[in-house]
Amino acid sequence: MRTYSLTVLLWSCMFHVIHMLSSEKRTNKHSHSERITGLSENDGKTLHRNKRGWMWNQFFLLEEYTGPDTQYVGKLHTDQDKGDGNLKYILTGDGAGSLFIIDENTGDIHAAKKLDREEKSLYVLRAKAIDRKTGRQVEPESEFIIKIHDINDNEPKFTKDMYTASIPEMAGVGTSVIQVTATDADDANYGNSAKVVYSILQGQPYFSVDPETGIIKTALPDMSRENREQYQVVIQAKDMGGQMGGLSGTTTVNITLTDVNDNPPRFPQSTYQFSSPESAPPGTPLGRLKANDPDVGENAEIEYSISNGDGSDMFDIVTDKDTQEGIITVKKHLDFENKMLYTLRVEATNTHPDPRFLQLGPFKDTAFVKISVEDIDEPPVFSRPWYLIEVDEDVKEGSIIGQVEAQDPDITKNAIKYSVDRHTDLDRIFNIYSGNGSLFISKPLDREETPWHNITVIATEINNPKQTSQIPVFIRILDINDHAPEFAKYYETYVCENAKAGQLIQTVSAVDKDEPPRGHKFFFELVPEFALHPNFSIVDNKDNTAGIMTRRNGYSRSKMSTYLLPIIIFDNDYPIQSSTGTLTIRVCACDSRGNMQSCNAEALLLPAGLSTGALVAILLCIIILLVLVVLFTTLKRQRKKEPLIISKDDVRDNIVTYNDEGGGEEDTQAFDIGALRNPEAREESKMRRDVIPETIFQIRRTAPLWENIDVQDFIHRRLKENDSDPAAPPYDSLATYAYEGNDSIANSLSSLESLTTEGNQDYDYLSDWGPRFKKLADMYGGEDSDRD
């Protein structure tokens, strides 16, 4: 707090009797005295006195006292004080003992510290007078007040150190901007210390301030944001009603002018020049132009458009929302040869005009844009986007089937040459004359194989081979009646032996690879030589089918098992094509309902009923079998045939007698005499396994046997038959009975495998088998065997 040099009026001890006890009511011994409750040691007891002797007042002090001594407040005194020092004064309450000190003997009160009214303006204290001897209060405790008188020690303070405000530009004079407020901590009810007056120190002549309310207002008309946008205004608040000696405080107010749309867009130049190559595709940007608008935000948003000109349909303009520029773009394909220069009238308009400023003029501007088209060497251009050529399939090689045409669109009109893209014509069926684009045939056509050909023709500038164009050419092959109709399938036809005349035995149909525009129409008839066939006739059903009918009653398989019926099939296109199909009709036995039961076997094997592939396969199989038989026979004959046994010790009788290898000495089931008792089983036609047959058609048969033949006679015949064959080895039971029996502990004695062994086989192990095999060991094991 500030200290001011002011004349301070010191209050002397001014004591006034404020209250005195009311006159006591005196009554008889039953009269009631007024009871006063005192704050003494004898709580709860009633003190009776005849008269109150306090002398006191409401005290006043000045704040911010800076004198050399403590500030004297006042004096407390009671009429009970005789001046003999028997009474003691005690002070309690706000600040007692710290801020306010009392002399307990005299009752003088002093302020021990400097006081600040802004901190506390009122102190409530309580005083007591106590008898030192008895410790009792001589007077009841009483309150008194010390008030702090205000001095102007606080300057006005604004609620903010800095204010920020904004106001639209072009606002009228007196438009309120913002209100500032300052407060003064001094006592507003005492003097003018807290009366604040506002004034402007900085910001004139643009703004003014109301001295009482602190409202800042505009002071000049038509303030333009484009000229100046920011203003700093300094406001002063002074107390004492603005008089001399008053305290003051200041604040700063930053004022911004906000934008309004008070400026139309303006092009910086009236004419713009752009150029574009004629090859620029639609959507290509050519250039930018911008109309200036000093406004900001949405007030500066501009929309560009083409309002007039000879190129309004060839070009377009779009607005860049970020930069507010107009972008000229190509709208359609340009052609230098057609037009080389375009003129556009471009208009720029504000999208958010302010009605208050429309009187300033239209918020739009126009400019002219000239666009020149640059010539580019363009590739050849075909007269059509694609070509369709139709050609008959029987056209001759070298015939011209169509023509394509292309031109150089440039002014130079360079010469063009043509070629066929061979990736689209791998078979090189088509060709083209490079000079005039005429297409011709290089190979025969076949509609049934390929009905469409899709090729690509290339046009190239002779002076600039890089400039090429391609065009698809679709070639449709038209059908020519060059295929004869034929049966739709292979028909397996039969006629029953008990068939009646006029009976339908088969319905035939035909197919044709051609495709006449009006559809197929087939006719059926018999070959002229068989026109009056005695057995069958044909009836054309007029629906591309025909029925085969019988002409007589009954057919015999024994007399004729198969009939061949040739049928001619015609079509109706030009030139008429025909073919002859032969229908094979078998004669079969049928039941009463006409269902086939059996047919002649030979008829089933007729070649007419088999396809060519099946016949070829059968012949190949037969030839392979014959070759194998001949090779095997030749190998057998190349081997040296010689008698197996020429020794005197011929033991074949012992071996061939039973013709059964058996299972050895203990085998009692190896030989079945019942087999010898069955001549039919014995004489079955069986081929020998030891000799390859001379031919597959001849089967070697043994001599017939009678049913009553004797077993001994049968064995003798077999022995004779084997002895007469010097090349036959002793095959035991294999040669005669083809029965091997159970296992033998001696293993097999057969020599079947001897023919396949190249080296000499060792038979010395036969000597170990016992005396029964001694002869056999001598025959095959010794050096003097019959092999020698």
Side-chain angles (χ1 to χ4, degrees):
M1 304 296 291
R2 295 184 182 182
T3 303
Y4 303 95
S5 299
L6 297 176
T7 302
V8 179
L9 178 62
L10 299 178
W11 289 85
S12 62
C13 297
M14 298 174 61
F15 298 101
H16 300 281
V17 177
I18 304 303
H19 295 285
M20 297 189 68
L21 294 174
S22 301
S23 58
E24 299 180 357
K25 290 183 178 182
R26 301 180 183 272
T27 61
N28 297 325
K29 58 179 180 180
H30 297 289
S31 63
H32 177 72
S33 299
E34 182 181 1
R35 295 178 180 179
I36 301 174
T37 304
L39 298 176
S40 64
E41 295 178 358
N42 300 322
D43 293 338
K45 295 181 180 181
T46 303
L47 298 178
H48 299 275
R49 61 185 177 88
N50 296 325
K51 182 180 180 181
R52 180 167 180 169
W54 279 107
M55 297 177 62
W56 65 300
N57 194 3
Q58 183 175 3
F59 304 125
F60 295 90
L61 289 179
L62 292 176
E63 65 172 337
E64 303 294 340
Y65 175 74
T66 58
D69 299 325
T70 59
Q71 190 175 186
Y72 180 72
V73 178
K75 184 180 182 65
L76 293 178
H77 182 73
T78 177
D79 56 0
Q80 299 293 327
D81 188 0
K82 304 300 182 177
D84 54 2
N86 289 329
L87 295 181
K88 177 183 179 181
Y89 294 96
I90 297 176
L91 185 65
T92 60
D94 295 338
S98 59
L99 294 178
F100 303 101
I101 301 173
I102 189 171
D103 188 337
E104 63 180 11
N105 294 320
T106 64
D108 293 329
I109 303 173
H110 292 82
K113 295 181 180 179
K114 183 174 60 175
L115 301 177
D116 188 356
R117 189 201 68 84
E118 285 70 37
E119 292 182 2
K120 192 173 180 64
S121 63
L122 184 68
Y123 296 89
V124 179
L125 298 172
R126 291 180 295 277
K128 297 178 184 179
I130 300 174
D131 191 333
R132 290 181 184 273
K133 295 178 180 181
T134 62
R136 296 181 178 181
Q137 292 183 211
V138 297
E139 293 286 348
E141 184 183 65
S142 297
E143 287 185 353
F144 65 94
I145 297 173
I146 299 177
K147 285 188 176 181
I148 310 301
H149 274 301
D150 181 50
I151 64 173
N152 190 17
D153 60 344
N154 290 282
E155 75 274 10
K157 289 187 176 181
F158 285 93
T159 56
K160 295 182 181 179
D161 294 335
M162 180 176 292
Y163 291 84
T164 301
S166 63
I167 184 173
E169 63 174 332
M170 309 299 291
V173 176
T175 302
S176 296
V177 180
I178 192 174
Q179 183 179 16
V180 295
T181 302
T183 59
D184 195 318
D186 294 325
D187 190 357
N189 299 320
Y190 182 78
N192 292 328
S193 298
K195 186 177 181 180
V196 178
V197 175
Y198 300 95
S199 62
I200 184 167
L201 300 182
Q202 178 183 325
Q204 295 174 329
Y206 306 103
F207 300 94
S208 63
V209 63
D210 189 299
E212 295 183 0
T213 62
I215 297 176
I216 301 175
K217 300 178 181 180
T218 58
L220 288 180
D222 301 331
M223 286 191 296
S224 176
R225 185 200 63 84
E226 289 73 31
N227 294 332
R228 183 176 178 181
E229 184 176 3
Q230 298 288 340
Y231 293 87
Q232 191 175 71
V233 178
V234 178
I235 302 297
Q236 181 189 61
K238 190 174 183 181
D239 59 10
M240 298 299 291
Q243 298 178 4
M244 293 295 293
L247 303 178
S248 65
T250 60
T251 187
T252 301
V253 182
N254 293 322
I255 301 175
T256 302
L257 296 183
T258 59
D259 185 61
V260 296
N261 193 4
D262 58 340
N263 295 281
R266 290 289 180 264
F267 283 106
Q269 58 192 70
S270 60
T271 304
Y272 293 85
Q273 293 281 348
F274 298 105
S275 63
S276 171
E278 61 176 336
S279 61
T284 302
L286 302 182
R288 293 172 176 255
L289 66 162
K290 184 177 181 180
N292 297 326
D293 191 336
D295 297 323
V296 294
E298 68 175 14
N299 297 322
E301 291 182 1
I302 301 175
E303 186 70 28
Y304 296 90
S305 61
I306 298 176
S307 60
N308 201 351
D310 56 359
S312 58
D313 59 337
M314 302 299 294
F315 300 94
D316 199 1
I317 186 169
V318 294
T319 304
D320 188 336
K321 298 300 182 181
D322 296 330
T323 62
Q324 297 301 315
E325 294 177 315
I327 305 174
I328 303 292
T329 61
V330 178
K331 188 176 182 180
K332 295 182 180 179
H333 287 285
L334 303 175
D335 188 359
F336 172 81
E337 290 72 27
N338 186 27
K339 189 174 180 62
M340 296 179 288
L341 181 64
Y342 293 90
T343 301
L344 306 176
R345 187 171 181 266
V346 177
E347 187 176 90
T349 307
N350 273 140
T351 57
H352 300 87
D354 193 331
R356 296 177 298 171
F357 305 102
L358 293 179
Q359 71 276 6
L360 300 179
F363 277 72
K364 60 182 178 180
D365 195 15
T366 58
F368 291 95
V369 177
K370 294 183 178 181
I371 302 175
S372 59
V373 181
E374 300 175 354
D375 187 24
I376 299 297
D377 190 6
E378 300 175 87
V381 178
F382 284 91
S383 60
R384 301 180 188 175
W386 49 270
Y387 290 86
L388 174 63
I389 299 175
E390 295 182 343
V391 58
D392 294 332
E393 63 176 325
D394 63 345
V395 66
K396 296 181 180 179
E397 298 180 19
S399 299
I400 295 176
I401 61 174
Q403 185 179 12
V404 298
E405 182 180 1
Q407 292 183 353
D408 182 10
D410 300 320
I411 297 178
T412 56
K413 299 298 180 182
N414 291 328
I416 305 298
K417 66 177 180 179
Y418 303 90
S419 61
V420 175
D421 185 357
R422 289 306 173 188
H423 293 92
T424 61
D425 184 26
L426 298 177
D427 296 332
R428 306 182 75 87
I429 299 176
F430 304 94
N431 213 329
I432 192 171
Y433 290 107
S434 61
N436 58 11
S438 297
L439 287 165
F440 61 91
I441 300 297
S442 299
K443 292 183 180 181
L445 303 176
D446 187 356
R447 188 204 66 84
E448 286 71 32
E449 182 179 351
T450 307
W452 283 88
H453 293 273
N454 301 327
I455 65 174
T456 300
V457 175
I458 303 173
T460 306
E461 291 185 13
I462 296 178
N463 294 337
N464 187 5
K466 294 182 179 180
Q467 297 296 336
T468 62
S469 297
Q470 297 182 351
I471 197 73
V473 180
F474 308 104
I475 302 174
R476 179 183 180 185
I477 310 302
L478 301 179
D479 185 37
I480 298 297
N481 193 24
D482 56 348
H483 290 84
E486 56 187 15
F487 281 132
K489 65 178 182 178
Y490 174 75
Y491 294 98
E492 293 183 357
T493 307
Y494 69 92
V495 62
C496 296
E497 287 184 311
N498 56 357
K500 303 298 182 180
Q503 183 176 340
L504 176 65
I505 63 173
Q506 183 69 59
T507 299
V508 296
S509 61
V511 294
D512 194 340
K513 294 181 180 179
D514 296 319
E515 292 183 1
R518 295 181 299 275
H520 291 292
K521 183 64 179 177
F522 302 122
F523 304 94
F524 303 86
E525 64 180 38
L526 294 176
V527 176
E529 291 80 1
F530 295 88
L532 298 176
H533 199 284
N535 298 308
F536 306 98
S537 64
I538 186 169
V539 177
D540 196 334
N541 296 328
K542 307 301 182 181
D543 60 353
N544 293 340
T545 63
I548 309 300
M549 314 293 292
T550 58
R551 296 193 63 182
R552 62 185 179 86
N553 297 330
Y555 294 86
S556 175
R557 286 185 294 169
S558 60
K559 294 182 180 180
M560 192 70 175
S561 62
T562 304
Y563 293 92
L564 301 178
L565 186 64
I567 300 174
I568 302 177
I569 309 173
F570 299 90
D571 59 21
N572 68 333
D573 205 356
Y574 180 82
I576 295 177
Q577 300 287 344
S578 64
S579 66
T580 301
T582 300
L583 192 65
T584 302
I585 304 174
R586 295 180 297 160
V587 180
C588 301
C590 303
D591 57 14
S592 59
R593 297 182 180 180
N595 297 323
M596 181 181 66
Q597 292 181 339
S598 64
C599 298
N600 193 306
E602 296 179 359
L604 294 174
L605 296 176
L606 284 176
L610 297 176
S611 63
T612 304
L615 293 176
V616 171
I618 293 173
L619 290 176
L620 287 175
C621 292
I622 294 174
I623 292 173
I624 292 172
L625 289 174
L626 290 176
V627 171
L628 291 175
V629 169
V630 171
L631 289 175
F632 190 79
T633 305
T634 304
L635 290 174
K636 291 290 289 182
R637 289 183 177 179
Q638 286 180 356
R639 296 182 180 179
K640 181 178 180 181
K641 292 185 178 181
E642 56 181 76
L644 293 177
I645 302 175
I646 56 177
S647 175
K648 293 181 180 180
D649 299 329
D650 193 350
V651 295
R652 282 183 295 171
D653 292 343
N654 296 333
I655 298 172
V656 184
T657 298
Y658 302 104
N659 281 335
D660 183 28
E661 179 179 345
E665 294 84 347
E666 298 178 1
D667 188 5
T668 59
Q669 299 178 357
F671 185 80
D672 186 7
I673 196 65
L676 300 178
R677 300 297 184 182
N678 190 356
E680 293 182 357
R682 295 194 305 270
E683 292 299 323
E684 284 183 355
S685 173
K686 296 182 179 179
M687 297 179 62
R688 290 187 56 181
R689 302 182 188 178
D690 57 317
V691 179
I692 298 176
E694 296 294 334
T695 174
I696 61 174
F697 300 104
Q698 295 180 0
I699 300 175
R700 181 177 178 181
R701 299 179 180 270
T702 57
L705 298 177
W706 299 271
E707 293 183 0
N708 58 352
I709 189 170
D710 187 72
V711 175
Q712 183 178 3
D713 186 39
F714 173 77
I715 293 175
H716 285 306
R717 289 190 180 187
R718 289 299 187 194
L719 289 173
K720 185 177 180 181
E721 183 179 350
N722 286 303
D723 290 339
S724 62
D725 188 2
Y731 273 97
D732 303 343
S733 61
L734 178 64
T736 303
Y737 303 109
Y739 180 77
E740 185 174 358
N742 294 335
D743 295 340
S744 173
I745 59 175
N747 293 330
S748 176
L749 300 179
S750 174
S751 59
L752 286 175
E753 297 177 357
S754 62
L755 295 178
T756 61
T757 52
E758 297 180 359
N760 294 329
Q761 189 173 356
D762 186 12
Y763 294 98
D764 294 336
Y765 61 89
L766 296 176
S767 302
D768 300 330
W769 289 2
R772 295 185 180 184
F773 295 90
K774 185 176 184 306
K775 273 292 185 182
L776 197 61
D778 294 338
M779 290 175 57
Y780 291 94
E783 295 180 354
D784 55 346
S785 66
D786 57 352
R787 293 180 181 272
D788 297 332

